Amino acid sequence: MPRTPNTRLRRLMETASWSPAQLAAAVNAVAVEHGQQMAYGRSTVSRWLSGTTPRPPAPAFLLEALARRLGRPVTAYDAGLTSIPARTAVSDLSWQADPLRKLAVLTSADTGPTRRHHLATGVFTLTALAVPEAADLARPTTATRHAPPSSTSRVGRTEVEHMQTMSRLFAQAAEDHGAGHVQPVLNYYLNHSVTGWLHAPATGVIQRQLLIHASQSMTLLGLMSADCGADALAQHCYRTAAHLAAEADDMTAFAIALRALSAHAHELGHHTPAVHHLAERAADATRRAPLAVRAYTHTHLAVTRAHHDRHAALRTLTTAERLNDTTHNTPGPFTTYSTGALHYQRAQTLTTLGDHKEATHALTASLRHRTTDERRAATLTRARLAETLLVQGHLDAAMVHWQAFLDTYPLLHSARATRSLDAMRQLLRPHSRHHTAAHLLAQATGIHP
């Protein structure tokens, strides 16, 4: 049977001013970001235009490439990949949806295997960095919510304190062992306890506190999802955290969610103006926040500014350090900012600015300030310090830190640590004739991520 030409895809390409070869190159680039090597070319796109439906995972990469070029989300229907403008797997996660509904969708094991797979393995999208203003997200939706039949009892301060305690426990467990085994437990807790409390009768004060802690927990779930390599799911968690914070009218929690969303994109190698703008919004939203949160947002702002303005980056870094010096930390994942973390961000800023020597000093300081409760962070800092030393030609010094990294790596279940392991293998391969380097490579080969 003759195929029907894909006119919708052709129109999108015309709007994007892309030739078939340019579209193919953009799709290949998105695929590489997600760990896959594709060899699409002009002839491949010509077949798509003639009506051939690309096989997975090509559609996801195609839609993301078009969305980035056009600056807006592009659906499968928009691109002519389906004839039915069907409800998408993440349609319940739009900004128009109730944030409590979004929390339930993201954490429920009953969303169905197709949707759960999509949320866990979906494509990281830059269009997700477009976040409305908090005032535009805050809506009086609580009056229309009803408690589930099994959750009719009134909730109060006990549930709020329970959420605070559990956030500390989950955050510490992820720091000790990586997020791999902790994320599913937090997911279950949010779905089976927190969701019910958010729908139960409560005073206005308690309802607001529940929303704030739910926002923080969703940010924590996003951080854990990113550490598990579920980057699309992490984005949805951060966006939902921002929405919950906006409904609670809490700019501190809103800023933390924006900072996490921006930092996640930066960690994946995206240094676009959109990433920087989100970091700016996060810092601006902390004007009345505790000093620890202000330092937290400003260090990341310095990192993003380093890609655009050297002097602005250094000024922002100085501001962050001054804020941190005057901070009186309250224990907790959202009330404290460690000195080790600040020095790590300082090193990131200096590395981007090309000052590897000072970045080495910052990473050394970061490692020195890491406490025994920061095992995952210390391990990742070791890996980054080794990479920075190698850039400067200090192979022997680098291998000392890579050995320490390998000693701790098996204790972590972390996709980010696995990426550091892969980077170590790649960087040491040219030095494989060196006795110690060969030993490290052999040791790394025996490690199963």
Side-chain angles (χ1 to χ4, degrees):
M1 295 292 291
R3 299 188 183 94
T4 302
N6 190 338
T7 55
R8 289 201 292 273
L9 178 57
R10 186 175 295 280
R11 282 197 294 269
L12 287 176
M13 289 175 61
E14 291 172 352
T15 303
S17 299
W18 263 352
S19 67
Q22 288 171 317
L23 175 59
V27 174
N28 290 338
V30 174
V32 168
E33 290 177 13
H34 292 82
Q36 300 196 41
Q37 295 289 337
M38 300 299 183
Y40 300 128
R42 181 176 58 185
S43 60
T44 309
V45 176
S46 295
R47 288 195 295 273
W48 295 345
L49 290 170
S50 69
T52 299
T53 302
R55 295 181 179 180
F61 300 148
L62 170 63
L63 298 178
E64 174 59 13
L66 288 166
R68 292 182 184 183
R69 179 70 170 181
L70 299 173
R72 59 177 173 81
V74 176
T75 68
Y77 177 78
D78 295 336
L81 305 184
T82 178
S83 59
I84 304 172
R87 184 184 180 92
T88 66
V90 294
S91 57
D92 287 335
L93 304 177
S94 70
W95 292 116
Q96 289 71 40
D98 184 344
L100 268 61
R101 169 61 182 163
K102 292 193 284 188
L103 186 154
V105 168
L106 289 169
T107 61
S108 176
D110 301 323
T111 55
T114 301
R115 177 173 291 189
R116 169 97 354 229
H117 176 77
H118 178 88
L119 291 173
T121 64
V123 171
F124 176 93
T125 173
L126 291 181
T127 59
L129 302 182
V131 180
E133 295 296 329
D136 296 330
L137 287 172
R139 296 178 300 158
T141 54
T142 53
T144 64
R145 295 176 183 144
H146 302 283
S150 60
S151 303
T152 55
S153 59
R154 197 172 187 84
V155 297
R157 186 64 198 169
T158 298
E159 287 74 17
V160 172
E161 292 177 354
H162 192 278
M163 291 177 69
Q164 290 176 308
T165 300
M166 294 305 289
S167 288
R168 288 195 296 270
L169 292 175
F170 283 125
Q172 188 56 58
E175 184 57 38
D176 284 342
H177 304 290
H181 298 301
V182 185
Q183 191 256 16
V185 185
L186 173 57
N187 194 88
Y188 183 91
Y189 171 71
L190 284 165
N191 188 258
H192 287 78
S193 295
V194 175
T195 299
W197 296 339
L198 288 169
H199 284 87
T203 65
V205 171
I206 293 297
Q207 176 68 19
R208 181 173 180 269
Q209 291 176 339
L210 289 170
L211 286 169
I212 292 170
H213 290 297
S215 169
Q216 294 175 344
S217 295
M218 285 304 291
T219 296
L220 190 57
L221 186 64
L223 294 168
M224 291 186 185
S225 298
D227 198 39
C228 292
D231 295 313
L233 177 58
Q235 283 190 305
H236 291 308
C237 291
Y238 297 142
R239 285 159 60 94
T240 301
H243 202 163
L244 290 164
E247 182 155 319
D249 191 25
D250 189 90
M251 293 306 294
T252 297
F254 187 73
I256 290 172
L258 295 192
R259 198 271 199 190
L261 185 60
S262 175
H264 179 214
H266 185 275
E267 178 69 25
L268 294 177
H270 301 289
H271 310 140
T272 64
V275 176
H276 175 53
H277 176 63
L278 206 56
E280 287 185 319
R281 287 185 59 192
D284 288 343
T286 61
R287 291 176 181 175
R288 295 185 177 87
L291 294 179
V293 178
R294 294 187 65 195
Y296 172 73
T297 57
H298 278 76
T299 53
H300 174 60
L301 178 58
V303 170
T304 63
R305 280 184 169 167
H307 293 280
H308 307 280
D309 187 330
R310 177 184 184 87
H311 297 295
L314 293 174
R315 285 198 306 271
T316 305
L317 192 58
T318 299
T319 299
E321 292 168 345
R322 176 176 52 79
L323 290 167
N324 192 65
D325 286 342
T326 56
T327 294
H328 299 287
N329 287 325
T330 302
F334 300 100
T335 54
T336 187
Y337 186 51
S338 76
T339 302
L342 184 141
H343 282 296
Y344 187 88
Q345 297 291 77
R346 183 169 181 267
Q348 279 196 295
T349 303
L350 294 168
T351 297
T352 299
L353 296 176
D355 193 342
H356 298 292
K357 183 177 180 180
E358 286 302 317
T360 299
H361 293 157
L363 287 167
T364 303
S366 175
L367 201 56
R368 187 171 61 251
H369 284 92
R370 295 296 188 184
T371 67
T372 55
D373 291 335
E374 296 178 279
R375 179 162 59 192
R376 173 182 165 276
T379 303
L380 294 173
T381 302
R382 289 271 190 191
R384 183 58 63 88
L385 179 53
E387 294 169 14
T388 305
L389 285 165
L390 188 63
V391 167
Q392 300 169 79
H394 304 312
L395 176 60
D396 290 336
M399 290 190 295
V400 170
H401 292 289
W402 266 321
Q403 181 63 67
F405 166 79
L406 286 177
D407 291 342
T408 311
Y409 176 85
L411 302 175
L412 301 176
H413 194 291
S414 161
R416 190 175 174 193
T418 299
R419 286 197 294 268
S420 293
L421 178 68
D422 293 339
M424 188 205 78
R425 288 169 170 156
Q426 183 177 354
L427 291 169
L428 279 182
R429 214 163 274 136
H431 306 279
S432 58
R433 292 187 178 182
H434 189 290
H435 175 73
T436 306
H439 171 74
L440 289 174
L441 285 169
Q443 185 178 348
T445 301
I447 294 177
H448 299 285

